[in-house]
Structure formats: C-alpha cells, structure tokens
Amino acid sequence: MKTIFVMSDPHGHYTILKETLFQGGYDEHNPDHLLIICGDMFDRGEESLEMFKYLYRLNKEGKAIILKGNHEPMLESFLKNNNDPFNYVNNGLKNTLGDLMHCTAPFESFCLIDEETPMSVETFYKWAPIARKQINEEYPELLPWLESLPYYYETKNYIFTHGMIDGICEDWHHPKKDLYGKYLDWDACTWARPEDFKNSIVNTDKTVVVGHIHCGLLRSLYGEDENDNSIFVRPDDKKVIGIDTCTIRTKKINLLIIEDEL
C-alpha cells in the first residue's frame, strides 16, 4: 500500500508545487510515498527550469511518475524541429524557453540585439534553431525524457491521466478517439474538451483522475460554482476526479492524497 500524492498542471510554478507538497506531508525519502504529476509541468509560470530539475530527479530515482500532458509535446516538438511561433506566442512556451535559456523573452531579446532585426515569423524561423541548439546542448537529457513520458499510470483502483480516457472503446489502454482530425488516440484524450469529463465509462470500474480542465469549469457543467477550483468529483457516478486548479490564475495547485496498491 502506498500513499499517493497527485497533482496536475503546475505550469512552471515550482515554488507553489513544493510548498503544497510540504503542507500535504509528502516526503520524498519515505519509500511508501509516491508522487504523480498528471502532465503540464511547463509553460506560463516562471520556474520551468527548477520544475524540470526537481521532477526529472524524482522520476529517475523512482519516487515520482510524470505523465505527458498537452504542453509537454509543445516543448518536445520545438526541441525536435518545429519553428512555428504559435505556442511561443499563445501557450506560454515563451516562459519555458526563456527559463531554459536563462533570459527573459528570448526571441524578443534576440531581435533587440540588432535594432534592424524585425520581430516577424521569418525572424522567428531564424532564431528557433539557435535556441533549440542551445537548450539541447545544455540539457541533453530533456528531450529523450519528454519523449519517454507515458500518457497514463494505473494502480489497483485508479487510472491517472492528463485529459481523459476513452471510456467506450473496447480497451481504454488503446483509445480510438479523433479530435478535429488533428489529434488521434492518446493525443486526442490528452486534449480532452470540457464535455469529455461527462462521457460514459463502460470499459473500467476504476476511478479516473484527470487534470487539463480547471475544476471551476468542470463544476459549471453541473450548474455548480464556477469560481470554485478545488478538487471536483463527478457527481453522477463518482468515476472521475478533476484536480486542475488553473494555477496561473489561482496561484494554487490542488493535491489529491489517496491510499492504494500499485
């Protein structure tokens, strides 16, 4: 039997994560404690480098399970070959890359070095390979680690994942979802929409723990207080627990503590 400490969507808020774990009684040196992060370690917050170093170490020491959210592939894609500025501008990747490169607004800083360098898509295409090379050389373990992260973790009575499982396919381990024709299978589950929280689950009796969509929005689906971002248990059948607290806005991270066999 393990005491399992579950968090999701810390989004670069390392200090809040550590304080929440301390208040919850998590002890990384206790062999009966296990930490599970249900994805979205990075982006938006200002402490992605500290988050990476901490969770990478715990994961490699067998003290933490780190799952893939929808933001980990954004960083993974950039570190491979993606020069598209969309995630940099819109999804908080700017903060993550800046932290990893030890500067603020790294692309903007690059443009300011030469006053004649415009902030344009074309300039971003020139800057991205430079940034990619710097990060991959300084942290050669980062990209292989991101590529290795699983989409789910399963214990005797629980399934932990980022967005949602496919609850109606023959075997939830092998989802058959298609989202917008862009995301398939586990990628589609990871990008779950709010209404997916209410979907039927007929292929497992286990309780599913998810992040991705903040609990206030999930509550609003059931006519409850949308400003309450505390942990939310699906009221109709208790089969799904939402734990995302929208950390960028609330400056809090929910901590679910359960006892279960691995």
Side-chain angles (χ1 to χ4, degrees):
M1 186 70 70
K2 291 272 191 180
T3 301
I4 304 174
F5 298 78
V6 193
M7 310 173 92
S8 189
D9 300 79
H11 282 295
H13 291 82
Y14 169 77
T15 300
I16 297 174
L17 179 138
K18 285 298 296 293
E19 290 175 348
T20 303
L21 286 173
F22 175 77
Q23 293 167 5
Y26 171 70
D27 179 4
E28 67 172 87
H29 302 293
N30 187 331
D32 293 325
H33 285 189
L34 177 67
L35 174 63
I36 298 178
I37 305 294
C38 294
D40 283 10
M41 294 176 280
F42 309 126
D43 302 340
R44 300 190 175 129
E46 304 293 337
E47 302 168 304
S48 287
L49 179 55
E50 291 175 288
M51 184 77 73
F52 162 58
K53 289 181 176 180
Y54 178 65
L55 295 181
Y56 177 81
R57 176 180 63 80
L58 290 183
N59 183 235
K60 290 303 179 180
E61 292 175 355
K63 299 172 180 177
I65 304 296
I66 312 300
L67 303 179
K68 185 173 292 189
N70 60 305
H71 276 255
E72 280 75 21
M74 296 179 192
L75 177 57
E76 180 183 333
S77 176
F78 180 86
L79 294 179
K80 287 180 177 178
N81 56 18
N82 186 358
N83 296 334
D84 190 331
F86 182 86
N87 289 325
Y88 184 91
V89 174
N90 296 286
N91 285 322
L93 186 61
K94 171 181 178 178
N95 289 351
T96 302
L97 298 182
D99 206 13
L100 293 171
M101 298 178 72
H102 316 290
C103 67
T104 301
F107 169 60
E108 292 82 349
S109 299
F110 172 80
C111 294
L112 286 172
I113 291 175
D114 182 349
E115 294 182 358
E116 296 183 359
T117 302
M119 288 181 55
S120 65
V121 173
E122 290 74 18
T123 305
F124 191 90
Y125 288 162
K126 295 178 182 178
W127 168 81
I130 298 171
R132 179 181 305 117
K133 183 174 184 294
Q134 177 181 327
I135 295 170
N136 283 330
E137 287 182 351
E138 185 167 0
Y139 310 104
E141 71 279 18
L142 176 55
L143 178 56
W145 184 57
L146 292 173
E147 292 175 320
S148 74
L149 296 179
Y151 285 102
Y152 67 86
Y153 184 71
E154 185 178 8
T155 61
K156 181 178 181 180
N157 296 294
Y158 292 87
I159 299 165
F160 305 90
T161 192
H162 180 66
M164 190 54 180
I165 67 168
D166 183 346
I168 60 173
C169 65
E170 182 177 356
D171 180 357
W172 67 265
H173 298 88
H174 304 285
K176 303 298 181 184
K177 292 184 70 66
D178 182 335
L179 185 59
Y180 312 130
K182 179 179 181 181
Y183 303 106
L184 302 174
D185 306 329
W186 273 113
D187 283 332
C189 292
T190 300
W191 280 93
R193 299 161 297 181
E195 56 268 27
D196 292 332
F197 186 82
K198 303 177 73 173
N199 286 350
S200 298
I201 298 177
V202 299
N203 49 17
T204 181
D205 292 326
K206 296 185 177 185
T207 299
V208 184
V209 179
V210 300
H212 185 53
I213 300 167
H214 62 85
C215 294
L217 180 54
L218 297 179
R219 278 188 168 82
S220 71
L221 298 176
Y222 294 87
E224 299 186 20
D225 183 5
E226 64 181 9
N227 295 310
D228 181 359
N229 275 296
S230 60
I231 292 171
F232 181 60
V233 180
R234 194 163 79 178
D236 47 7
D237 59 11
K238 314 297 183 185
K239 275 194 168 185
V240 189
I241 302 175
I243 62 174
D244 178 17
T245 190
C246 194
T247 303
I248 189 64
R249 179 165 61 85
T250 65
K251 304 307 178 186
K252 297 178 181 179
I253 302 176
N254 284 326
L255 177 61
L256 175 67
I257 304 176
I258 58 178
E259 303 281 336
D260 200 17
E261 298 178 22
L262 303 186

